[in-house]
Structures are given as C-alpha cells and as structure tokens.
Amino acid sequence: MKIAQTEFKQRRDQLAQTMGPNSVAIIATSPVAMRNRDADYKYRADSSFYYLTGFAEPEAVAVIETGEDPSNYLYSLFCRERDPEMEIWNGYRAGIDGAIDDYDADEAYAIDLLDEEILSKITHSDNFYYRIGQNSQFEARITSWLGKLAQGRQFKVPMQIKSLDCIVDEMRLIKSATEIELMQIAADISAKAHVRAMQCVHPGMMEYALEAELNYIFGQKGCVPAYGSIVGGGANGCILHYVENDQELKDGDLVLIDAGCEYQFYAGDISRTFPVNGRFSPQQKALYQVVLDAQLAAIEQIQVGVSYKQPHYAAVQILVSGLVELGLLKGEVEELINTEAYHRFYMHGTGHWLGMDVHDVGEYQIDAAPRQFEAGMVITVEPGLYIAPDDMTVDEQWRGIGIRIEDDVLVTAQGPHVLTANVVKSIDDIEQLMAKAQA
Ligand code: GLY
Ligand code: MN
Ligand code: MN
C-alpha cells in the first residue's frame, strides 16, 4: 500500500495556504549517514520532506513559492540527475524528468544547481520558511544565500524568517485516513513480531537471538525496525534504553521487549514483558498486574477534548497505589504522588505522539497549557515499573524486575482505538500463548 501522489499534493496545497502570499519554503531531505569508512547506513529520507514530496531519494531539496495567490504556488524539486554509470552502481534515480512526471514537480533542477538557482526564488518573498535547527550544514548554506541577498544590489532579503516545522509538524500530528491505514499495518506487523517472540523464547536463548525473531517478521514484510529494538532479560529490563541485547535470557526472569517496525515511513512502537520460561512468578505477576491496570486506565483517558497529560496522571495513580499495596512504597498515595517519591520506580512519561517518527512531531503545549486530544492523533501508552537490582530499600524478592507495557492508540470521536491490540497482554493470555507454543 502506498500514499497516492494526490495526497502529497494536498499536503503542499495546505502548506502553501498556511504560508500565505509572497512566501517561500525550502525543505531538504536527510543527508546520507556513514556507518564506517565507505559503508553507509541504509538510506531513510527525512520524514517531513517525504511527507510533502513522496520523494525518497537522497540529495533532494523542495522549494515552494507562493505569489499573490497561495493556491497558485510553484513547486520545484532539486534532485540527482539520471546517470547511467552511477545507476549501475547505486540504482535507479528519478532524475529531472521523473521529478516532474512522477512526483508532480512544476519545475525540477539538478541538485548541483541549487546554489545558482535558489537566490532568484528567495528574493521575491516577504516570508522565508525553513527548518530551523534541522541540519547545521544546510543551515549554513541558507545563511550564505541570505547573506548574498543582503549584499547584492539587485536582490531583496525576505522581511521575515519563519519556522517551517511549526506548520508541517501540526499537519503531521493529525493523521489522514491513508496514514491511519499505514499505521495499522505497521502496528499489525509489530504485533506479529511480539507474538513470535513470546512463542520462541526459552531459557538459555541470547537476547540478540530473540531480537532476530522480531527482525525476521519485520524483514518478511519489507520493514525495518523503527528504532533500536530493546530486548532486555531480567534486570536489563530496568535499563530504559537498553540496546546491547547481548546477554543470556535466564529461567525465572522476565524479558522486556520494546520494538516496532517501520512500514512505508510509519512506525509501530510496542512493549511487552513476559516470562522467559512461560510462567510469571508471584512477584512478577503482582507487579505486572499493577502496570497492566495502569495502562488500561491510561488508555481510557484518550478521548477527544481530554488533556494529553490525563493518561499519565491516571497511570501514576494506579502505579503508586499498587506500589503501596505491595509494600514497595510507604505512605499516603497522594503525598507520594505530590512529592514524586515514585520516581525511582517510574521515571518516564506515559506516552508520546507516534507517526513517521517514533517520537513524532507536534506540540504538547498550546499557550503554555497541555494540549487536548483531537481525532486523528496517535499516542503511545507505556507505563512501567522498574525495580533496580541494587535497590536496598525494597525487599530482595522485588529487585531486578523491569516491566513496561506499551500500545499505540488512535484518538477517535468514539474513544480510544488501540492499533496494537493484536498482541496479548493479560497474564492469562500470555501464559496460554506461551504454553501452547511450548507444547
Ligand atoms: N521505543 C521508544 C519509546 O517507547 O519511547
Ligand atoms: Mn514509545
Ligand atoms: Mn517503545
């Protein structure tokens, strides 16, 4: 499934309208990242650039110029030229003709002509939009163009320099029907990978071998991991960004997996925690149920018009009550919340926007107040509890248990819609799935 060119055009139309008359926007894709010496990372275009162009090749810059009438704007794409020799080595390029015929550019130029062509495009504008802080090298080029305009007699410098991201991020925050379809596919593939991990895990397996089972599903569906997969056995589950994944999974331990795939530029982001041997211990069960109850209560808060912070407050309330009931925290629940005494067991937020980037764009505050949910937003819900292995303030039986449960939730007028519902999370369902796989 792919996004139609008409949708990319609608996005440029909306951007041009928001920019207003006599404006120009410049947006560059990501540079190629080198891994070591002459080996590069598999290329991934910049999310906002792709969002506006549908163009996934490296070395590309889009320019949008509005005149008096923003609905009649000019869209130019600077890209790599066709080059039979280079295409033998590195593959197909759309080239100048492809940019116009296949990507709907009004004008297309070789990327090497950018410095030459750009001044005449910028100089007519009153408002100059670019992505402030995106890429220091590209920003230096922009500064040099503006400097040339300032020094040249025949040119005029734009009156105002404005943030392009402030417009595009808001557009990206509300997902279209097509984007939701793509996110559902990313969620389904990610869920399938987690189910496979539950079915494959066994004591003695290495964390990286379990990670390979996730990658198998991602790869079979033409996906890559949307971020570095976390596969942490035992106390490694307490390390929030654990990515080494190089330890043995032990009998009696839990394993925490935080992994999601990227499908057609859209991310899934799921965490599940389950017993390596298929059965939760009583302590693991007790803590797990607290996290699950917190997660379900948080999801309930995802309603149009409700503050995005509400899921966090709901989760914290249940987590802290549970910690008190189990004797890990002592005192009054409200007091423990107000003094943030729970922080050593729960030190992160409960969710973030999700979309083309795993920590997706979009403001969390509007006029210094927490933003309210709107239909079409997607947010993760990911409470956890992490009892450090060296925490001498708690009974030994609890130490080294790390649990996180994370789902991806679409805000709809009818309430929360869990995109990642295809992977089990209740204690019974997990144990049953694992027992069936072991049989
Ligand atoms: N996987 C990154 C996160 O959950 O925020
Ligand atoms: Mn997340
Ligand atoms: Mn995650």
Side-chain angles (χ1 to χ4, degrees):
M1 199 204 142
K2 276 210 151 68
I3 296 181
Q5 280 303 317
T6 48
E7 182 156 346
F8 293 113
K9 179 176 179 305
Q10 280 164 13
R11 295 169 182 172
R12 293 190 296 270
D13 292 350
Q14 192 184 337
L15 170 63
Q17 279 300 334
T18 316
M19 284 163 52
N22 300 320
S23 301
V24 63
I26 296 190
I27 176 163
T29 196
S30 302
V32 173
M34 298 311 290
R35 183 173 184 274
N36 58 322
R37 193 157 159 81
D38 61 350
D40 47 15
Y41 284 102
K42 189 177 163 93
Y43 185 70
R44 180 4 173 115
D46 174 80
S47 298
S48 287
F49 177 85
Y50 184 83
Y51 179 83
L52 292 168
T53 63
F55 195 75
E57 291 182 28
E59 296 186 84
V61 173
V63 182
I64 290 179
E65 297 163 75
T66 67
E68 289 302 324
D69 174 9
S71 60
N72 196 16
Y73 61 91
L74 185 74
Y75 164 42
S76 308
L77 192 55
F78 291 79
C79 61
R80 300 179 307 185
E81 286 183 279
R82 301 289 314 260
D83 181 334
E85 176 73 11
M86 289 306 289
E87 288 179 48
I88 287 172
W89 287 90
N90 297 326
Y92 175 77
R93 298 172 170 195
I96 309 303
D97 291 342
I100 291 171
D101 297 343
D102 303 332
Y103 293 91
D104 281 349
D106 300 313
E107 292 180 352
Y109 302 86
I111 187 70
D112 297 341
L113 297 179
L114 182 61
D115 288 326
E116 212 168 291
E117 296 290 337
I118 201 74
L119 297 185
S120 64
K121 292 184 173 294
I122 304 174
T123 193
H124 301 298
S125 65
D126 294 333
N127 305 303
F128 178 77
Y129 287 88
Y130 81 101
R131 304 186 60 204
I132 297 164
Q134 182 207 5
N135 172 328
S136 54
Q137 270 184 340
F138 193 70
E139 226 162 337
R141 263 174 102 179
I142 288 178
T143 310
S144 87
W145 297 332
L146 293 173
K148 279 190 186 142
L149 291 183
Q151 286 155 15
R153 290 222 178 106
Q154 72 273 41
F155 292 127
K156 166 167 107 55
V157 188
M159 296 250 296
Q160 302 213 46
I161 299 201
K162 296 186 172 179
S163 161
L164 184 68
D165 287 333
C166 286
I167 303 176
V168 179
D169 292 1
E170 286 301 295
M171 291 168 60
R172 281 177 52 190
L173 180 57
I174 308 293
K175 274 68 182 175
S176 70
T178 319
E179 289 183 291
I180 291 165
E181 271 185 67
L182 293 173
M183 291 196 72
Q184 183 63 70
I185 297 172
D188 287 342
I189 297 167
S190 305
K192 196 169 173 189
H194 279 261
V195 169
R196 183 178 172 96
M198 289 180 191
Q199 291 169 326
C200 292
V201 71
H202 55 81
M205 192 177 197
M206 297 301 286
E207 291 166 343
Y208 51 68
L210 193 54
E211 182 183 5
E213 300 294 343
L214 303 166
N215 288 338
Y216 175 77
I217 298 291
F218 295 168
Q220 288 294 316
K221 300 291 180 184
C223 299
V224 291
Y227 53 90
S229 301
I230 296 169
V231 181
N236 293 336
C238 298
I239 303 169
L240 298 181
H241 289 163
Y242 177 74
V243 287
E244 286 77 8
N245 303 346
D246 60 358
Q247 299 299 306
E248 191 178 308
L249 295 164
K250 304 232 170 65
D251 199 1
D253 279 351
L254 295 176
V255 56
L256 187 160
I257 296 185
D258 183 343
C261 74
E262 179 177 294
Y263 176 79
Q264 297 287 335
F265 282 85
Y266 287 84
D269 184 7
I270 301 181
S271 300
R272 287 291 185 268
T273 310
F274 48 93
V276 170
N277 65 13
R279 303 285 300 177
F280 287 87
S281 74
Q283 292 78 10
Q284 292 164 352
K285 231 178 219 180
L287 277 175
Y288 187 94
Q289 193 60 47
V290 172
V291 178
L292 182 57
D293 290 345
Q295 204 234 12
L296 295 172
I299 291 172
E300 273 310 300
Q301 296 299 316
I302 299 182
Q303 309 281 348
V304 170
V306 170
S307 154
Y308 92 92
K309 285 210 160 164
Q310 220 39 57
H312 181 67
Y313 297 145
V316 166
Q317 188 75 36
I318 292 184
L319 293 174
V320 174
S321 304
L323 288 167
V324 170
E325 269 171 42
L326 296 175
L328 284 112
L329 279 177
K330 292 185 179 46
E332 290 297 316
V333 170
E334 290 314 313
E335 173 76 4
L336 293 165
I337 292 174
N338 292 337
T339 57
E340 299 189 337
Y342 62 87
H343 253 218
R344 70 179 196 281
F345 302 127
Y346 185 45
M347 59 298 278
H348 59 76
T350 300
H352 51 82
W353 306 132
L354 182 72
M356 301 181 80
D357 295 310
V358 65
H359 296 157
D360 208 30
V361 293
E363 292 294 340
Y364 288 92
Q365 308 276 329
I366 302 284
D367 298 330
R371 177 168 214 151
Q372 295 178 356
F373 288 123
E374 294 168 47
M377 293 174 167
V378 178
I379 192 161
T380 66
V381 184
E382 49 182 301
L385 284 176
Y386 312 92
I387 319 297
D390 58 355
D391 188 337
M392 296 304 156
T393 69
V394 300
D395 201 90
E396 194 182 348
Q397 61 181 333
W398 303 109
R399 290 182 209 151
I401 299 179
I403 296 166
R404 180 162 61 256
I405 308 172
E406 176 175 26
D407 281 303
D408 305 340
V409 182
L410 169 69
V411 185
T412 81
Q414 290 75 42
H417 176 75
V418 180
L419 297 171
T420 44
N422 279 348
V423 51
V424 292
K425 61 183 174 184
S426 78
I427 291 172
D428 283 352
D429 287 349
I430 290 174
E431 288 190 342
Q432 270 174 35
L433 178 85
M434 295 183 74
K436 216 162 136 193
Q438 288 166 359

